[in-house]
C-alpha cells in the first residue's frame, strides 16, 4: 500500500512535464498553408518560412505578409481500468478525460526585400504550442492511482468509494524568428541561408486535493483502518511552475525554376533547447520541478522538399514532403530523469502534402489540399503518455486568395484535422486510448511595395 500512495503523490509530476515536449512542429505558418498546405515550392512572401530561396524570384521591392489564425483543439484520453468503477461519480471501468485548448490569436509575420539578384527575408511565428490546455477533471494517470487504493479495500472485503479533486492547466508557446539572406544565381537557380532563434515558454498549474474514501478525508479513513502511518502521503499536492529557454539553429534552402516547373528544398538543423524551471510551488515530491533545474526539449531537424507545376495558365499543382529527425532530438523523460524520451520512438515522423490552386478570374483563386502525418510512437505506443501523445492524422485545408489590387492579396483559409485513434496497453488490466480533434481558420494579407 505504501507504494500505491506514493505513486498518487508522484503521478502529477510523472504526467505534467511531458506536455512541454512532443513531436509536432507547427508548419501552419501562414493562412496560405490553410487553404493549400503544400507550400514548399510556392513563390511568395510566405517563402520567408516555407521556401526562403524562392524569395529570389519575387519582383524587386519590399514584400510584407501579415497573418492571423485561431485554433481549437481537444486532447482526449480514455482510460480502461477496472478500479475506476469504485469512483463516487463513476460506475464504469472506462472513463474519458478531455483537455480543451483554444488559441484565439496565433500571429505570423513575413517580410522580404529583393534588389536585383540579392535578397533578405525575415519570418516571425509560433513554431510550437500556441495556447492553453485545461483538464478540469484531471487525467487517468492521476485517478487510476486513487482508484487502485480503493480497489485494495474492496478486494479485502471492505466496500469503499473514493473521491478526488484534480485540475491541470498547461500553456506552451515556442516563438521563433528566422532571418535569411540569399542570392539568385541565374534565372533558374536561387539559394538562401540563415538562422532561427526560438524562445520556448511553458507554464503548469496542477493539483490533486480532497482525496476521500467513503466520504471521509483519506487521512481519517487510513487512520481508522490502521494505516495511519501512510496518511501524510495522501495529503494535497500542488504544482506552479514556469519553464523557459532559448535556442538557435541554421537553415539552408535552394530553389530551381524552369518553365512550368519549380523544385525547392530546405533543411532546418536541430535546435538544441533546454527549458529551465522557475517554480513557485512544488509539493509533488518530484525533484524534476525544482527551481532552477533544466529539462531537455530539443526541436528536431527537418528536411522539407516541394514540387510545383502549372498544368496550364489557371491550374497549379503542388506536392511536398516533410521528414522530421525526431529520434535525434533530446526530450526529457520523467521515467528516467534524462533526456532520452526520443529513444522510445519507433521511427522518425514523415508528412506528405498535396494541393491545387485554380484561378477563377484575375482577382480570385480558389485552392484546397491535404496532409498526411505519420508518427511512429513505438510498437506498443511506448512514447505516448496521458499529457504528451502523438497520433497520426489526415488534414484537409481549403480557401481562397482575393486580389484586392495588383499589389495586395487577401488570403482566407480553413484547416481541419482528423486524427487516428491509438491504444497503449500497459498491462492486462490497464490501457489508454489516445485521440484529438483540431480545427483552425485564418485571415492573411500580402502587400508588395
Amino acid at each position: 500500500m505504501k507504494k500505491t500512495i506514493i505513486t498518487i503523490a508522484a503521478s502529477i509530476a510523472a504526467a505534467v512535464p511531458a506536455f512541454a515536449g512532443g513531436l509536432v512542429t507547427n508548419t501552419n505558418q501562414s493562412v496560405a498553408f490553410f487553404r493549400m498546405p503544400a507550400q514548399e515550392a510556392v513563390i511568395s512572401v510566405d517563402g520567408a518560412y516555407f521556401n526562403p530561396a524562392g524569395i529570389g524570384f519575387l519582383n524587386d521591392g519590399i514584400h510584407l505578409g501579415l497573418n492571423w489564425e485561431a485554433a481549437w483543439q481537444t486532447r482526449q484520453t480514455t482510460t480502461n481500468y477496472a478500479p475506476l468503477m469504485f469512483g463516487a461519480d463513476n460506475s464504469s471501468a472506462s472513463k474519458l478525460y478531455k483537455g480543451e485548448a483554444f488559441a484565439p490569436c496565433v500571429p505570423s509575420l513575413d517580410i522580404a526585400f529583393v534588389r536585383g539578384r540579392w535578397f533578405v527575408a525575415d519570418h516571425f511565428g509560433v513554431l510550437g504550442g500556441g495556447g492553453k490546455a485545461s483538464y478540469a477533471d484531471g487525467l487517468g494517470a492521476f485517478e487510476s492511482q486513487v482508484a487502485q487504493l480503493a480497489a485494495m479495500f474492496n478486494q479485502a472485503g471492505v466496500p469503499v468509494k473514493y473521491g478526488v479533486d484534480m485540475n491541470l492547466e498547461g500553456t506552451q508557446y515556442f516563438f521563433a524568428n528566422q532571418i535569411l539572406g540569399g542570392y539568385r544565381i541565374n534565372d533558374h537557380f536561387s539559394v538562401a541561408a540563415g538562422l532561427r532563434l526560438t524562445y520556448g515558454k511553458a507554464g503548469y498549474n496542477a493539483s490533486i486535493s480532497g482525496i476521500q474514501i467513503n466520504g471521509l478525508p483519506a487521512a481519517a479513513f487510513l487512520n481508522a483502518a490502521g494505516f495511519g502511518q501512510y496518511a501524510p502521503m495522501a495529503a494535497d499536492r500542488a504544482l506552479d511552475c514556469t519553464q523557459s529557454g532559448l535556442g538557435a539553429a541554421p537553415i539552408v534552402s535552394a530553389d530551381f525554376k524552369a518553365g512550368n516547373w519549380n523544385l525547392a528544398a530546405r533543411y532546418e538543423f536541430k535546435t538544441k533547447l533546454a527549458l529551465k524551471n522557475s517554480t513557485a510551488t512544488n509539493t509533488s515530491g518530484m525533484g524534476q520541478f525544482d527551481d532552477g533545474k533544466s529539462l531537455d526539449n530539443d526541436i528536431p531537424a527537418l528536411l522539407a522538399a516541394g514540387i510545383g507545376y502549372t498544368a496550364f495558365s489557371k491550374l497549379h499543382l503542388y506536392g511536398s514532403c516533410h521528414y522530421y529527425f525526431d529520434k535525434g532530438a533530446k526530450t526529457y523523460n520523467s521515467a528516467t530523469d534524462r533526456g532520452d524520451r526520443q529513444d522510445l520512438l519507433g521511427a522518425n515522423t514523415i508528412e506528405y502534402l498535396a494541393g491545387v490552386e485554380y484561378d477563377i478570374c484575375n482577382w480570385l483563386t480558389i485552392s484546397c489540399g491535404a496532409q498526411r502525418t505519420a508518427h511512429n510512437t513505438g510498437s506498443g505506443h511506448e512514447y505516448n503518455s496521458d499529457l504528451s501523445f502523438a497520433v497520426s492524422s489526415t488534414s484537409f485545408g481549403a480557401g481562397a486568395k482575393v486580389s484586392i489590387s495588383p499589389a495586395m492579396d487577401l488570403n482566407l483559409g480553413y484547416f481541419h484535422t482528423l486524427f487516428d485513434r491509438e491504444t497503449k496497453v500497459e498491462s492486462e488490466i490497464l490501457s489508454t486510448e489516445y485521440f484529438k480533434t483540431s480545427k483552425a481558420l485564418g485571415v492573411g494579407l500580402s502587400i508588395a511595395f
Side-chain angles (χ1 to χ4, degrees), residues 38-44 47 50-58 184 186-190 253-265 305-311 316-320:
Q39 288 287 314
E40 270 63 33
V42 176
I43 294 175
S44 72
F50 294 103
N51 180 18
I55 296 291
F57 294 107
L58 293 176
R184 178 169 53 82
N186 53 43
D187 291 342
H188 302 288
F189 193 60
S190 178
S253 171
D255 189 291
F256 178 76
K257 181 177 175 61
N260 292 341
W261 293 91
N262 192 58
L263 307 175
I307 183 171
Y309 176 66
T310 299
H316 315 280
L317 307 175
Y318 298 96
S320 299

Side-chain angles (χ1 to χ4, degrees), residues 202-335:
Y204 310 100
N205 285 278
S207 65
I208 298 177
S209 62
I211 299 176
Q212 297 181 351
I213 301 177
N214 281 352
L216 294 174
F221 184 90
L222 290 169
N223 282 321
F227 294 97
Q229 67 271 36
Y230 303 130
M233 302 304 299
D236 294 349
R237 304 285 164 172
L239 175 67
D240 182 359
C241 178
T242 300
Q243 300 172 327
S244 60
L246 182 67
I251 301 172
V252 293
S253 171
D255 189 291
F256 178 76
K257 181 177 175 61
N260 292 341
W261 293 91
N262 192 58
L263 307 175
R266 78 177 187 276
Y267 182 75
E268 304 174 2
F269 289 78
K270 179 180 73 174
T271 303
K272 186 174 178 57
L273 183 64
L275 298 179
K276 187 176 181 180
N277 294 338
S278 177
T279 305
T281 303
N282 178 19
T283 56
S284 68
M286 299 294 282
Q288 67 202 58
F289 291 109
D290 288 347
D291 188 49
K293 182 168 183 174
S294 294
L295 310 179
D296 291 317
N297 203 126
D298 293 349
I299 298 172
L302 167 63
L303 176 62
I307 183 171
Y309 176 66
T310 299
F312 54 88
S313 60
K314 293 186 176 183
L315 181 65
H316 315 280
L317 307 175
Y318 298 96
S320 299
C321 182
H322 302 157
Y323 187 84
Y324 298 89
F325 296 84
D326 297 309
K327 289 181 67 65
K330 295 179 68 175
T331 305
Y332 181 78
N333 185 351
S334 59

Side-chain angles (χ1 to χ4, degrees), residues 14-334:
V16 172
F19 190 67
L23 294 177
V24 179
T25 299
N26 289 349
T27 53
N28 54 310
Q29 295 295 305
S30 76
V31 176
F33 175 90
F34 283 0
R35 66 179 185 84
M36 201 287 288
Q39 288 287 314
E40 270 63 33
V42 176
I43 294 175
S44 72
V45 67
D46 301 323
Y49 171 77
F50 294 103
N51 180 18
I55 296 291
F57 294 107
L58 293 176
N59 294 329
D60 280 11
I62 297 174
H63 302 264
L64 180 66
L66 302 169
N67 295 276
W68 167 86
E69 302 169 11
W72 296 260
Q73 186 182 87
T74 65
R75 303 164 61 86
Q76 302 178 20
T77 60
T78 301
T79 300
N80 299 288
Y81 185 52
L84 290 173
M85 69 177 63
F86 300 123
D89 60 349
N90 192 49
S91 58
S92 171
S94 179
K95 189 170 182 179
L96 172 66
Y97 303 87
K98 181 184 292 187
E100 297 184 346
F102 172 53
C105 181
V106 182
S108 65
L109 170 67
D110 297 297
I111 187 168
F113 174 71
V114 183
R115 184 167 185 177
R117 296 183 182 273
W118 294 95
F119 59 92
V120 293
D122 187 88
H123 169 79
F124 172 82
V126 181
L127 189 66
K132 175 187 289 187
S134 300
Y135 293 80
D137 298 318
L139 287 163
F142 299 174
E143 187 165 349
S144 62
Q145 305 303 325
V146 184
Q148 184 180 356
L149 177 61
M152 290 182 176
F153 284 100
N154 282 280
Q155 290 169 0
V158 181
V160 301
K161 286 282 189 176
Y162 69 86
V164 60
D165 294 325
M166 299 175 290
N167 184 64
L168 170 65
E169 287 189 349
T171 58
Q172 183 190 74
Y173 291 91
F174 285 80
F175 299 102
N177 190 85
Q178 61 188 52
I179 185 166
L180 304 103
Y183 182 72
R184 178 169 53 82
I185 297 172
N186 53 43
D187 291 342
H188 302 288
F189 193 60
S190 178
V191 294
L195 185 71
R196 173 188 292 154
L197 293 177
T198 301
Y199 174 72
K201 188 175 181 63
Y204 310 100
N205 285 278
S207 65
I208 298 177
S209 62
I211 299 176
Q212 297 181 351
I213 301 177
N214 281 352
L216 294 174
F221 184 90
L222 290 169
N223 282 321
F227 294 97
Q229 67 271 36
Y230 303 130
M233 302 304 299
D236 294 349
R237 304 285 164 172
L239 175 67
D240 182 359
C241 178
T242 300
Q243 300 172 327
S244 60
L246 182 67
I251 301 172
V252 293
S253 171
D255 189 291
F256 178 76
K257 181 177 175 61
N260 292 341
W261 293 91
N262 192 58
L263 307 175
R266 78 177 187 276
Y267 182 75
E268 304 174 2
F269 289 78
K270 179 180 73 174
T271 303
K272 186 174 178 57
L273 183 64
L275 298 179
K276 187 176 181 180
N277 294 338
S278 177
T279 305
T281 303
N282 178 19
T283 56
S284 68
M286 299 294 282
Q288 67 202 58
F289 291 109
D290 288 347
D291 188 49
K293 182 168 183 174
S294 294
L295 310 179
D296 291 317
N297 203 126
D298 293 349
I299 298 172
L302 167 63
L303 176 62
I307 183 171
Y309 176 66
T310 299
F312 54 88
S313 60
K314 293 186 176 183
L315 181 65
H316 315 280
L317 307 175
Y318 298 96
S320 299
C321 182
H322 302 157
Y323 187 84
Y324 298 89
F325 296 84
D326 297 309
K327 289 181 67 65
K330 295 179 68 175
T331 305
Y332 181 78
N333 185 351
S334 59

